[in-house]
Amino acid sequence: MEKNLTKKLCGFIDRLIELNIENHLIEEMDAIYIRNRVLALFKEDYYEVSEKVETNQYETLDALLEIALEKELIEEHMAAKDQFISHLMDLFLDKPSGVNRKFFALYKDDIKAATDYFYELSQLSTYIKVRQLAKNKQFNVDSPYGEIQITINLSKPEKDPKQIALERLAPSSNYPTCLLCQENEGYEGTIKHPDRANHRMIRLELNNKKWLMQYSPYLYYNEHCIILSDTHTPMQITASTFNNLLDFTTQFPHYFIGSNADLPIVGGSILSHEHYQGGRHTFPMDEATTLFEFTLPKYKSIQGKVVNWPLSTIELVGESTEELAKCSDEILKLWRAYSDPICDILAYTEDTPHNTITPICKREGSKYVMRLVLRNNRTTDEHPLGIFHPHQDVQHIKKENIGLIEVMGLAILPGRLLTELEEVKKYVRGEVADVAENHMLWADGLKATYNEEMDIEQYIKQALGDKFVRVLEDAGVYKLNEEGIAGFKRFIETFGNLTE
């Protein structure tokens, strides 16, 4: 290796070690050991003291990545670069057993200190893609239901043509079984499967079963965590689900937790592995008002209400986790079998089930709040993607499943919209523009109601938010009109039939 390049490498290795001592990932005593392990990663057996460099963590990693490319240690495509950085940062991390020991030592005295430690570790290790996440565009807009949160997701980089070509040639593998399985912890990564060398999970016990907690690499909100079963079993909403959610909020009272529904169309993107999502964030649903209240004959200690929210949401509040779990399960069973043709709700088509729920749980002091969002995935010729799914006229904004995060009022919209909306803005202002065909009808409507006194940025943001509200309204099984509210009340009346 050229001497100048060696000196450059040594300078950036020293800087990375210095930064990670400052970040408390390693101690001074570890410096020489880590230096030698990093030198080995670069296939270099020589070290010399170099001039001090003043770069931040990401600049330092970028410089080391460029040296790895120059030395032809890795190929020039995104997957190889990501794998190299993960491998490099893994050298600064404790093994899972050590991370768990520290987490639970902190947990004994301060639950929040434990999650703060693990959250910071996941960011400093670059497992959470902090730099990429900064690219996301986030803003709030007004709606009839309160403020709605919008994120245009720009954090996931597009694959380059070389990687796409290599993926096509790469053999398939069933290890790790899926993107969530605990087999991912420490996995080097392949051209087809993301790098996880710097990945750590916290071992939990919920409802007398083993679970694991991690943070999402691409956070959609503050402390966005994933709680996954230690076995690869399909998503399902059962009596155990409610006990799991309540147990988690007992152990982590500062976090909410929720589950995607367990049926296609209304479920999340990964239905093959049972998992939940949680974190510390106030969603628009949390600020929603009450549509009407109701009583539960069998569960007098539980307060019941229907939330004034576009997706049909029942809220149960009480202090007894046992009663809340039982009540939630009984409502689930009633809903699974419930049909109301007046509102287009059919529980089954022959033997195919359509009804399920999206459950969400959080703490408010000594009380637990369980929200049951009613879902139905039936399709028709008129709505082949789902009757209670974004309809055709809003799919230019959001066509994908409406999962847990969207249910709570946070829109995760595709990155393509950023450039597409710029063309819509030009068109609305009467400038030459290349508006995507699927946005044209919408753009014409916006142009017709726009005047030059309006703030074009806010005008387009609000219009985008209005479309997302329509997405949510389409997904609601009971519409917030006279007929829909009457239908919702008919279902609530069946609660008087809860078995003793």
Side-chain angles (χ1 to χ4, degrees):
M1 184 177 178
E2 184 185 333
K3 188 173 181 181
N4 287 338
L5 189 58
T6 302
K7 287 190 70 174
K8 183 179 177 183
L9 170 63
C10 292
F12 284 114
I13 291 174
D14 287 345
R15 179 56 178 159
L16 189 61
I17 290 170
E18 181 183 36
L19 286 165
N20 284 296
I21 290 173
E22 291 173 5
N23 290 335
H24 306 292
L25 290 185
I26 60 170
E27 299 177 28
E28 289 277 2
M29 188 187 300
D30 303 316
I32 293 174
Y33 168 82
I34 294 292
R35 176 206 298 162
N36 286 328
R37 299 320 304 150
V38 177
L39 285 169
L41 183 61
F42 279 87
K43 301 189 183 307
E44 181 62 46
D45 56 9
Y46 174 76
Y47 170 81
E48 63 178 276
V49 177
S50 304
E51 289 184 14
K52 187 178 176 67
V53 292
E54 294 292 342
T55 48
N56 64 33
Q57 176 104 330
Y58 288 102
E59 292 166 343
T60 308
L61 290 171
D62 286 344
L64 290 168
L65 189 61
E66 285 303 312
I67 294 171
L69 287 165
E70 191 172 343
K71 284 172 63 66
E72 298 183 347
L73 297 174
I74 59 172
E75 294 185 51
E76 178 74 63
H77 59 78
M78 187 177 68
K81 293 175 183 178
D82 287 346
Q83 287 165 24
F84 186 82
I85 294 298
S86 293
H87 191 160
L88 179 57
M89 287 309 301
D90 179 54
L91 298 176
F92 294 88
L93 296 179
D94 206 345
K95 292 182 175 61
S97 57
V99 172
N100 275 261
R101 268 194 301 273
K102 183 165 184 179
F103 180 90
F104 286 107
L106 290 166
Y107 183 94
K108 287 178 183 177
D109 296 322
D110 186 338
I111 297 169
K112 184 179 175 295
T115 54
D116 285 350
Y117 153 71
F118 186 47
Y119 187 52
E120 184 178 34
L121 178 78
S122 300
Q123 294 176 86
L124 293 173
S125 69
T126 72
Y127 177 72
I128 293 176
K129 310 299 183 185
V130 175
R131 181 163 52 172
Q132 291 92 319
L133 287 164
K135 299 175 184 178
N136 288 346
K137 302 299 179 185
Q138 298 173 318
F139 53 90
N140 293 353
V141 296
D142 293 328
S143 86
Y145 313 101
E147 277 198 330
I148 297 294
Q149 298 167 355
I150 307 290
T151 294
I152 297 179
N153 185 17
L154 302 168
S155 58
K156 288 189 178 181
E158 292 185 16
K159 296 176 182 179
D160 54 65
K162 183 175 182 180
Q163 180 170 336
I164 293 169
L166 288 170
E167 283 183 7
R168 290 185 184 134
L169 297 173
S172 58
S173 171
N174 61 357
Y175 183 86
T177 309
C178 79
L179 290 170
L180 289 179
C181 282
Q182 62 178 318
E183 298 156 359
N184 285 278
E185 193 173 40
Y187 187 67
E188 186 76 1
T190 68
I191 194 70
K192 285 187 172 182
H193 195 99
D195 52 290
R196 291 292 184 263
N198 57 345
H199 180 31
R200 300 293 185 268
M201 300 185 190
I202 300 300
R203 274 60 180 172
L204 302 177
E205 186 174 288
L206 301 178
N207 193 22
N208 299 314
K209 289 188 177 178
K210 293 180 180 179
W211 294 77
L212 303 101
M213 181 173 72
Q214 65 177 68
Y215 288 103
S216 171
Y218 293 95
L219 304 169
Y220 289 139
Y221 52 84
N222 186 45
E223 296 183 48
H224 178 186
C225 62
I226 299 169
I227 299 89
L228 55 116
S229 170
D230 76 331
T231 57
H232 183 74
T233 53
M235 285 287 296
Q236 51 186 337
I237 307 297
T238 66
S240 291
T241 304
F242 305 113
N243 285 304
N244 294 339
L245 301 187
L246 289 159
D247 196 357
F248 180 82
T249 52
T250 298
Q251 295 182 46
F252 299 94
H254 60 304
Y255 275 6
F256 86 92
I257 184 173
S259 174
N260 278 310
D262 56 352
L263 292 179
I265 296 176
V266 295
S269 58
I270 301 178
L271 294 180
S272 61
H273 194 121
E274 190 170 20
H275 70 284
Y276 311 127
Q277 296 178 80
R280 296 182 71 197
H281 186 73
T282 300
F283 289 89
M285 176 186 271
D286 295 314
E287 307 288 349
T289 58
T290 299
L291 191 62
F292 62 86
E293 297 180 346
F294 60 87
T295 57
L296 293 150
K298 183 180 174 182
Y299 299 98
K300 293 182 174 59
S301 68
I302 295 176
Q303 299 169 281
K305 72 177 185 181
V306 167
V307 182
N308 184 23
W309 189 245
L311 283 102
S312 308
T313 305
I314 294 166
E315 182 173 293
L316 307 174
V317 180
E319 294 190 1
S320 169
T321 57
E322 183 180 357
E323 291 230 319
L324 277 169
K326 286 181 179 178
C327 183
S328 299
D329 183 46
E330 292 201 56
I331 292 173
L332 170 63
K333 287 173 179 172
L334 283 173
W335 177 244
R336 292 267 196 208
Y338 187 80
S339 293
D340 188 344
I342 296 173
C343 296
D344 277 333
I345 297 166
L346 297 180
Y348 289 91
T349 299
E350 297 179 351
D351 294 328
T352 302
H354 297 307
N355 286 352
T356 186
I357 64 168
T358 300
I360 305 155
C361 186
K362 67 173 186 173
R363 291 283 294 278
E364 289 183 352
S366 63
K367 293 184 177 181
Y368 294 80
V369 179
M370 181 70 77
R371 293 188 179 126
L372 310 176
V373 185
L374 307 180
R375 313 298 300 275
N376 177 287
N377 76 343
R378 190 163 71 93
T379 62
T380 62
D381 291 341
E382 182 184 1
H383 299 293
L385 295 181
I387 300 172
F388 305 107
H389 182 81
H391 290 176
Q392 185 68 40
D393 63 322
V394 295
Q395 288 177 9
H396 65 107
I397 295 298
K398 181 74 173 176
K399 188 176 182 179
E400 299 81 10
N401 296 0
I402 303 306
L404 173 69
I405 297 169
E406 287 90 357
V407 162
M408 294 185 287
L410 168 55
I412 308 298
L413 302 178
R416 62 174 171 80
L417 282 176
L418 194 65
T419 52
E420 291 173 0
L421 290 177
E422 288 302 316
E423 296 302 315
V424 171
K425 286 178 198 174
K426 292 178 188 176
Y427 182 80
V428 168
R429 288 187 301 225
E431 302 169 7
V432 176
D434 182 19
V435 177
E437 185 179 348
N438 63 341
H439 292 315
M440 202 65 227
L441 186 62
W442 181 51
D444 281 333
L446 294 176
K447 188 174 184 178
T449 57
Y450 175 73
N451 66 67
E452 292 183 358
E453 294 179 2
M454 296 177 176
D455 181 329
I456 185 66
E457 293 292 330
Q458 188 56 39
Y459 181 67
I460 295 299
K461 284 179 179 179
Q462 185 62 54
L464 184 67
D466 292 344
K467 276 284 182 178
F468 179 67
V469 169
R470 260 290 319 283
V471 164
L472 297 182
E473 289 173 338
D474 285 350
V477 294
Y478 291 113
K479 308 309 178 188
L480 292 180
N481 53 33
E482 187 176 344
E483 183 181 89
I485 293 170
F488 208 155
K489 287 182 176 179
R490 284 195 296 275
F491 177 59
I492 297 295
E493 287 169 6
T494 68
F495 295 0
N497 299 324
L498 293 178
T499 57
E500 292 292 341

